[in-house]
Amino acid sequence: MNKLSKITLASLLALGIAGCSSTKPAEPTPSASSGEGEKAETGTGIYDVTNLTGEKVTDLYVYNDAADKGENLANGGLDKNASVKVTKADYPTDTAFTLEFKTEGGYEGKFETLHVEEAPIYLLSKDLMTGATMISFKEPDATASYTVFNSTGETVKELYLYNTGDADKGENLAGEGLAAAASVELTKVVPATKTGDQVYTLEFTTESGYTAKFETLHFEVAPIQLLAGADVQTGATPISFKKPE
């Protein structure tokens, strides 16, 4: 065998060995699924429920099964402006809860699409409702309104309505002067949970210099008469909570 033939044979043997060494059985491909369904994602609903219905709530439920509403969360009665924390743990995040309540006066409300989330919830009276639902996820405002009638017999030059104890009386609400027998509407707007904390002073001065004040006016809707000095008896207040005849 000549030299060239030996070289050619050696090359062919080397290629054959290399081909054999690089050929291996294909490794099994991992299965795309283990055969087990994925576990649904869960979460916890935390709701701070505040009673703004204006009366005691006797029944309060948060449930996802109408056949079993579970515990009455009012726990013997939820007073006006009182709150209770409701926790619903380890529920699928797509769960829709129903919140249902009833007051001692028979007023009832229901919200059927409460999600698994952390949120404040306010149970609303009819006066506080701004839409079709009886709950709100933000604290609503409440408005006190006083229709003030000037029954002093003379023009009222100064009229103030301010928080009792404040040094700043605010704007003169008589404007250019409130004529005898005229009236003016005064309002105060505060967060609904603060209505029970408000005490106002109503103060007025007539053109003759007669000055009077009433320092325990509560947050409410009411008519008020400003009375003449001659009509105020000893121990009586300078205002009356009724419309003039």
Side-chain angles (χ1 to χ4, degrees):
M1 185 179 295
N2 58 32
K3 185 176 181 180
L4 180 58
S5 298
K6 290 181 179 179
I7 293 174
T8 301
L9 180 59
S11 298
L12 291 173
L13 289 173
L15 288 171
I17 294 171
C20 292
S21 63
S22 63
T23 303
K24 295 182 180 179
E27 295 184 3
T29 303
S31 173
S33 173
S34 61
E36 297 181 2
E38 292 185 4
K39 186 178 180 181
E41 183 180 357
T42 61
T44 298
I46 302 175
Y47 315 101
D48 284 311
V49 182
T50 302
N51 175 17
L52 297 181
T53 64
E55 54 182 326
K56 181 179 287 187
V57 168
T58 56
D59 299 90
L60 175 63
Y61 299 94
V62 177
Y63 58 89
N64 66 325
D65 180 0
D68 181 13
K69 297 180 181 179
E71 177 188 2
N72 180 359
L73 303 167
N75 194 24
L78 186 64
D79 290 331
K80 292 186 294 183
N81 291 351
S83 299
V84 62
K85 180 171 283 189
V86 177
T87 301
K88 291 291 190 178
D90 297 327
Y91 278 84
T93 54
D94 59 354
T95 301
F97 293 111
T98 293
L99 183 147
E100 182 178 332
F101 68 91
K102 182 178 181 180
T103 69
E104 60 185 351
Y107 173 58
E108 297 183 51
K110 181 184 288 189
F111 184 79
E112 298 179 297
T113 55
L114 184 60
H115 299 295
V116 178
E117 58 187 319
E118 185 171 352
I121 296 176
Y122 299 90
L123 311 181
L124 304 179
S125 66
K126 290 182 179 179
D127 291 339
L128 289 175
M129 288 173 59
T130 57
T133 61
M134 296 175 172
I135 72 169
S136 173
F137 290 98
K138 65 178 182 178
E139 183 173 1
D141 288 331
T143 301
S145 179
Y146 312 96
T147 305
V148 179
F149 300 90
N150 179 8
S151 298
T152 64
E154 55 181 322
T155 298
V156 169
K157 303 297 290 184
E158 296 183 31
L159 178 64
Y160 300 97
L161 179 64
Y162 56 94
N163 291 326
T164 297
D166 281 1
D168 183 5
K169 298 178 184 180
E171 177 187 0
N172 178 7
L173 301 170
E176 297 298 319
L178 182 64
S183 64
V184 63
E185 191 84 11
L186 307 183
T187 59
K188 286 287 188 180
V189 179
V190 300
T193 56
K194 303 298 182 184
T195 58
D197 302 330
Q198 305 303 307
V199 180
Y200 301 114
T201 292
L202 181 70
E203 182 177 336
F204 64 94
T205 301
T206 67
E207 60 184 348
S208 69
Y210 167 57
T211 297
K213 67 172 64 174
F214 182 79
E215 299 178 293
T216 55
L217 183 61
H218 296 291
F219 193 94
E220 58 188 318
V221 175
I224 297 176
Q225 282 190 75
L226 309 181
L227 303 178
D231 295 333
V232 181
Q233 304 298 318
T234 302
T237 62
I239 68 172
S240 172
F241 289 95
K242 63 180 182 180
K243 292 181 178 180
E245 296 178 359

